[in-house]
Amino acid sequence: MILVTLGTQDKAFPRLLEAIEKQLENGTITDEVIVQAGCTAFTSKKMKLFDLIPMEQFDQLLSQCDMLITHGGVGTIMAGLRLGKTIIAAPRLAQYHEHHNDHQTEIVSSFEKQGYLLALHDFDRLDEVLKQAETFVCKPLVSNTSNMIALLEDWIEKHA
């Protein structure tokens, strides 16, 4: 199963769903596709679409999915990485009124450069990125929380 999440932005992101729909129609995607569309109005006979999925159900779908296709939101990307999911991330762009600026491009490119996910910048190349995803092994996520806590504790001790 492929889980697609567009986040909870107040701006629509139909470009990604249109690209996925095209791959479903031409048979490149044969898996079940479940979508949390947020405020993106979209109709499909091939995808199961939900505006918002309750958190408990979303977590269950995320743990069960074989692949996560998502916008460039850090929260969703990190949730997928914690579970070791294969992730394709597509940044929302300001030129299409999908966001206020293009910060998601930087986020997605940074995660890609570090080996955590596959980036989808050109939606016409989704078929190629899906093919890459078949053999892609993401770099394991290593938490830096303990190091950050140690740095903060050290700073507090020095400045208290």
Side-chain angles (χ1 to χ4, degrees), residues 125-148:
R125 293 187 58 239
L126 177 56
D127 58 337
E128 295 170 33
V129 179
L130 288 165
K131 188 75 174 156
Q132 285 179 287
E134 291 175 12
T135 57
F136 179 74
V137 178
C138 76
K139 178 179 165 182
L141 181 66
V142 178
S143 175
N144 195 27
T145 302
S146 59
N147 289 339
M148 289 303 296

Side-chain angles (χ1 to χ4, degrees), residues 89-104:
R92 292 170 170 267
L93 299 177
Q95 77 183 67
Y96 299 108
H97 309 288
E98 298 162 345
H99 219 305
H100 303 290
N101 57 43
D102 290 339
H103 72 279
Q104 287 192 356

Side-chain angles (χ1 to χ4, degrees), residues 1 3-4 9 21 23 44 64 68-69 85 101-102 112 122 125 133 137 140 145 159:
M1 179 262 289
L3 178 62
V4 178
Q9 295 293 321
E21 183 83 4
Q23 297 311 313
S44 171
Q64 293 173 347
L68 173 64
I69 301 178
K85 297 298 175 180
N101 57 43
D102 290 339
E112 180 185 42
D122 180 352
R125 293 187 58 239
V137 178
T145 302
H159 294 88

Side-chain angles (χ1 to χ4, degrees), residues 47-65:
M47 293 185 264
K48 291 183 183 174
L49 292 140
F50 301 90
D51 293 339
L52 294 174
I53 299 172
M55 196 56 148
E56 187 176 298
Q57 185 181 356
F58 180 84
D59 290 344
Q60 184 178 15
L61 289 168
L62 184 58
S63 71
Q64 293 173 347
C65 76

Side-chain angles (χ1 to χ4, degrees), residues 71-101:
H71 67 121
V74 174
T76 307
I77 291 171
M78 291 301 295
L81 288 174
R82 283 187 200 98
L83 294 173
K85 297 298 175 180
T86 298
I87 301 170
I88 296 175
R92 292 170 170 267
L93 299 177
Q95 77 183 67
Y96 299 108
H97 309 288
E98 298 162 345
H99 219 305
H100 303 290
N101 57 43

Side-chain angles (χ1 to χ4, degrees), residues 4 10 25 29 35-37 49 71 77 82 89-90 106 112 114 121 131 143 153:
V4 178
D10 63 344
E25 288 172 356
I29 296 176
V35 180
Q36 178 175 301
L49 292 140
H71 67 121
I77 291 171
R82 283 187 200 98
E106 295 171 31
E112 180 185 42
Q114 295 176 65
H121 294 289
K131 188 75 174 156
S143 175
E153 287 173 343

